[in-house]
């Protein structure tokens, strides 16, 4: 059984308003435990709505969201749902609630009723997992943007969720902060087996996922491995969607008549392909 599952999900923010626009139009999506999925699309396509539906913050207008087999609409299961799926939002300042880093990370487990000794263990382990243990007694407001976001992620880890949904967590960060957060996400997925759903506008982040889901106007446009999704440049361009810079460069060179052998996703892959091409290799 998939860990996250959307079954014919429809959503309207004000279903009692006959003029309200439907945001999702019967979405079907299944995500297995341990997967790293990037969710892409224009503003307003329904990505952030999906994030809140998976966490149980929103409930479908129609259809079902299942988390580890539990229906998010079942009130008796909502606590269990939120203890399995943590949500990290775009602005870390909106999630930091305490004056000291370790107290902020402890906030979630305390609200779950976790015993103090276990909270101590979880906080230390979570801060070490995001490489922020040495900052445990610092004030969050004095940290950099990337460090704040890593503390927000630690707060979710301390709740021992099986899945973390990140809604554009690097949108407000500089390149260094983005790199810090992405390294943390990769580590949690690869080493800890945590299911990751990453909503992002950055194509270089999306290619790091094992699977890419592209949404367009409340529907799923395409779903597959990064090379499959970004390999169909024409489809994405018809929907005014971006592709990674390396892919765009090689796509334009091929359109100009240069017979490059493929469409790489990243810089290193692109450079290696150019070298093979210049050496006359296939």
């Amino acid at each position: 059984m998939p860990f996250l599952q959307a079954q014919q999900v429809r959503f309207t923010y004000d279903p009692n308003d006959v003029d309200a626009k439907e945001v999702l139009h019967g979405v079907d999506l299944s995500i297995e435990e341990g997967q790293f999925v990037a969710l892409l699309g224009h503003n307003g396509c329904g990505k952030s709505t999906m994030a809140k539906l998976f966490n149980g913050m929103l409930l479908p207008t129609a259809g079902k969201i299942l988390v580890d087999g539990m229906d998010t609409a079942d009130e008796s299961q909502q606590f269990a749902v939120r203890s399995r799926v943590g949500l990290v939002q775009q602005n870390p300042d909106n999630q930091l609630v305490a004056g000291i880093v370790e107290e902020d990370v402890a906030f979630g487990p305390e609200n779950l009723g976790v015993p103090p000794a276990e909270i101590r263990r979880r906080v230390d382990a979570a801060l070490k997992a995001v490489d922020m243990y040495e900052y445990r007694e610092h004030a969050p407001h004095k940290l950099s943007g990337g460090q704040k976001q890593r503390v927000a992620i630690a707060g979710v880890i301390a709740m021992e969720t099986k899945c973390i949904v990140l809604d554009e967590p690097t949108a407000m960060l500089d390149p260094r902060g983005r790199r810090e957060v992405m390294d943390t996400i990769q580590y949690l997925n690869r080493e800890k087996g945590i299911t990751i759903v990453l909503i992002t506008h950055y194509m270089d982040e999306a290619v790091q996922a094992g699977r890419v889901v592209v949404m367009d106007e409340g529907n799923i446009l395409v779903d597959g491995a990064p090379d499959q999704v970004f390999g169909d440049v024409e489809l994405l361009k018809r929907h005014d969607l971006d592709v990674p810079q390396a892919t765009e460069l090689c796509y334009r060179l091929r359109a100009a008549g240069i017979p490059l052998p493929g469409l790489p996703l990243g810089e290193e892959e692109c450079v290696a392909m150019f070298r093979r091409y210049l050496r006359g290799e296939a």
Side-chain angles (χ1 to χ4, degrees):
M1 177 183 294
F3 184 75
L4 298 177
Q5 193 169 20
Q7 299 178 343
Q8 282 294 298
V9 169
R10 294 180 176 273
F11 185 81
T12 305
Y13 276 95
D14 188 358
N16 296 319
D17 182 354
V18 294
D19 296 321
K21 181 180 178 182
E22 188 177 66
V23 179
L24 300 174
H25 315 303
V27 171
D28 287 307
L29 179 65
S30 295
I31 297 174
E32 301 294 333
E33 187 169 355
Q35 280 194 318
F36 179 0
V37 179
L39 192 58
L40 309 178
H42 292 300
N43 288 333
C45 72
K47 306 185 306 297
S48 293
T49 300
M50 288 296 299
K52 293 170 183 173
L53 286 166
F54 279 140
N55 177 252
M57 288 180 65
L58 297 176
L59 299 177
T61 306
K64 287 185 179 181
I65 293 284
L66 301 178
V67 173
D68 204 10
M70 296 178 291
D71 189 338
T72 60
D74 183 345
E75 291 187 4
S76 68
Q77 302 283 6
Q78 287 179 357
F79 180 84
V81 166
R82 290 174 185 169
S83 68
R84 283 168 171 76
V85 181
L87 178 63
V88 176
Q89 301 180 65
Q90 183 180 118
N91 188 346
D93 289 325
N94 293 338
Q95 291 188 254
L96 301 178
V97 297
I100 299 175
V101 164
E102 62 181 7
E103 291 179 359
D104 195 277
V105 177
F107 181 79
E110 286 174 350
N111 279 276
L112 293 176
V114 177
E118 175 63 11
I119 290 176
R120 179 75 267 169
R121 183 196 69 79
R122 291 192 188 188
V123 168
D124 289 348
L127 286 170
K128 289 175 182 177
V130 299
D131 198 23
M132 288 295 292
Y133 183 73
E134 64 182 283
Y135 295 91
R136 61 191 180 280
E137 295 181 354
H138 284 54
H141 71 272
K142 293 184 178 180
L143 301 177
S144 69
Q147 290 171 330
K148 288 180 182 179
Q149 197 62 285
R150 284 151 64 193
V151 171
I153 293 171
V156 173
I157 296 171
M159 295 171 67
E160 295 197 344
T161 60
K162 293 184 177 181
C163 173
I164 302 177
V165 179
L166 302 108
D167 190 1
E168 299 193 50
T170 65
M172 303 182 68
L173 305 182
D174 60 21
R176 179 179 177 180
R178 288 177 53 204
R179 185 168 59 252
E180 290 174 350
V181 171
M182 287 306 300
D183 286 347
T184 298
I185 291 170
Q186 287 278 16
Y187 169 79
L188 294 174
N189 177 250
R190 183 176 60 249
E191 303 297 331
K192 301 295 186 181
I194 294 175
T195 306
I196 299 290
V197 180
L198 172 66
I199 296 171
T200 180
H201 277 108
Y202 295 111
M203 298 303 108
D204 60 331
E205 294 178 359
V207 299
Q208 297 180 46
R211 177 181 170 195
V212 175
V213 177
V214 181
M215 295 189 66
D216 187 49
E217 297 184 354
N219 295 293
I220 292 177
L221 176 65
V222 61
D223 178 356
D227 57 343
Q228 295 172 320
V229 171
F230 294 121
D232 196 346
V233 179
E234 294 290 348
L235 173 65
L236 297 176
K237 284 186 173 294
R238 284 199 301 272
H239 290 268
D240 297 319
L241 294 166
D242 291 329
V243 296
Q245 289 184 337
T247 308
E248 178 74 19
L249 171 62
C250 294
Y251 171 78
R252 293 190 180 191
L253 289 172
R254 289 172 71 173
I258 299 175
L260 296 175
L263 291 173
L265 298 177
E267 293 177 8
E268 293 183 5
E269 186 183 353
C270 184
V271 170
M273 189 190 69
F274 281 143
R275 286 175 175 164
R276 291 196 305 272
Y277 175 75
L278 293 173
R279 289 196 299 261
E281 300 174 1

